[in-house]
Amino acid sequence: MVAAAGAAGYFAAAGALSGEVLPGTRVAGVDIGGLSSASAEAVLRKGIADPAARPLITHLGATASDSGGEREILTPAEIGLSVDVRGSVADAGTGWPTPVSVVRVLFGGQEVAPRVAVDTGRLTARVSELAAEFDVPVREAEVGYRNLEPSVTLPRNGRALDQAQAAQALRSAYLRSAQPVRLPVRVVTPQVSAEVARRVAGTTARTAVAAPFLLKNGSRQATLSREDLAGDLRFVAAGPGLMRPSFDAGDTAADFRSRLIGDDRAPRDATFEIVDGEPRVVPSRTGQAIDAGRLGSLVAAAIEDGGSRTVEVPITKGAPRLTTAQARALGVTQQVSSYTTEHPCCAPRVTNIHRIAEIVNGHLVRPGETFSLNGLVGRRDVARGFVEAPMILDGRYVDDVGGGVSQFTTTMFNAVFFGGFQDVQHTPHSFYISRYPAGRESTVSFPQPDFRWRNDSPYGVFITTSYTSTSVTVNFWSTKRFDVESQSSAHYNVKSFSTLTDDGPKCIPMTGVDGFTIDVWRIFKKDGEEVRRQRFRTTYTPEPRLTCE
């Protein structure tokens, strides 16, 4: 009888409660009891809006006491977290209630955890971004060389965000707490201690460069000097407490190719030659090359084993960097610009002008590539044929190796100008020099100022140079895109020069030239119609008249 009465009471209560969320039901503190599913979703969506959008404050640190950790504020939207309102109401239940549910109603209701929707891709990506900002890579100990003296790079701990646990911590903290969420970070320790690195530097590293290597390819041979060996040799971490030699043979393979293989057997890039005023492709050729990776391993192994310092150089098949087909596809078909500047004969600066022209002659600039004069030529030095000649420094003429090469720079700048290519970096002289076109000239020094221009065309640009005792010429060969004209303003803001005297032993006289400002327009035309124009504004300071006493 009692059981029957209890069952009857349950079915009566359940029948009354079915179809609605049970009274006293709360989701994240929002009361949705007694409502239909649709009404409960609306009430829950409104009631949970603020906490669902509340940013999470994260604390990145190794331990709870790590007060030096970094903080980030993350919105739920950016890390892919939101409340699944419909799913949460479904979890609360609107169907036929169970006996347990009925009992809960009688004793004050139930608290249902909100269902969290997770965009895993967005959460993973944002945590990965946090790691990229926060992580510090471990620095392993390394032993290199300064000249022939071993030099130690000391190790340093790194740190790394545990990304999987960090993502889980963010999911768990969502809607549950306004307190900062600690994201787990681990310390990454180096494999080799400073003591081990210093010991290697004091013993093994010194022995490694005590003698040169003999490199052989059949009957051909060359000596890898101690200095060249030290330049590319390192001792690096190879396991806990272990360091091994590592030799980068890239430079060695390039420098010794001619001696150990011969130019007649080496790969040859396709290039161009000018025949009867037209560019023609000179075909490429495959050949032999030094396998730099294997050579580096052989040298390192010989150092580690302490054995013979004679190494048979590994040879591999070498492919050209520019094939015949690639060269033909570059569209180098005609002369697109040419410029000549003149100079007095036979001064030391003329030697430098000729030498830099020889280095640049035959260079190919591919589509999209930025040409750097300093990048190609490098520092001007006596070993490569440059001599001392006057150049401008701090408003005075001084002698320096490579002086005068700005004549070539100006010549190339004008080839760029009339070829219609993009000017990236050019620096006019501080004084106006009458042998150059005003406002259309450029100086250069090493390492700065450089002269750079970009081949912004879809075609290659092949550069040829030539010179006489009184002139230098730069020609660009490509496919013509524009007819380019130059237009100049009159000189304005003219400033008179001063008169100075100097009795120093290195004094170089100066003639005196007024300073001024000038505007030059580069006008691009196609089929006779102007398509755009570019202004270059140049201001020259007065060159003083300097008398040397």
Side-chain angles (χ1 to χ4, degrees), residues 214-222 260 310-315:
L214 181 64
L215 306 181
K216 297 183 66 177
N217 178 27
S219 60
R220 293 176 177 268
Q221 61 183 40
L260 293 173
T310 298
V311 174
E312 194 69 29
V313 173
I315 302 299

Side-chain angles (χ1 to χ4, degrees), residues 458-471:
Y459 313 105
V461 178
F462 183 63
I463 305 170
T464 60
T465 67
S466 61
Y467 55 78
T468 69
S469 61
T470 58
S471 68

Side-chain angles (χ1 to χ4, degrees), residues 207-233:
T207 304
V209 295
F213 270 80
L214 181 64
L215 306 181
K216 297 183 66 177
N217 178 27
S219 60
R220 293 176 177 268
Q221 61 183 40
T223 299
L224 177 63
S225 69
R226 297 171 61 205
E227 290 76 14
D228 288 340
L229 174 63
D232 293 313
L233 178 64

Side-chain angles (χ1 to χ4, degrees), residues 347-395:
R349 65 189 301 273
V350 176
T351 299
N352 296 329
I353 296 169
H354 292 178
R355 186 68 193 102
I356 197 169
E358 291 167 352
I359 294 172
V360 175
N361 184 45
H363 187 74
L364 176 68
V365 183
R366 299 200 191 194
E369 183 181 350
T370 296
F371 173 91
S372 163
L373 188 60
N374 279 339
L376 175 64
V377 178
R379 184 182 296 276
R380 274 64 83 182
D381 52 36
V382 174
R384 291 187 301 151
F386 292 96
V387 299
E388 279 199 351
M391 62 171 285
I392 300 173
L393 179 65
D394 297 331

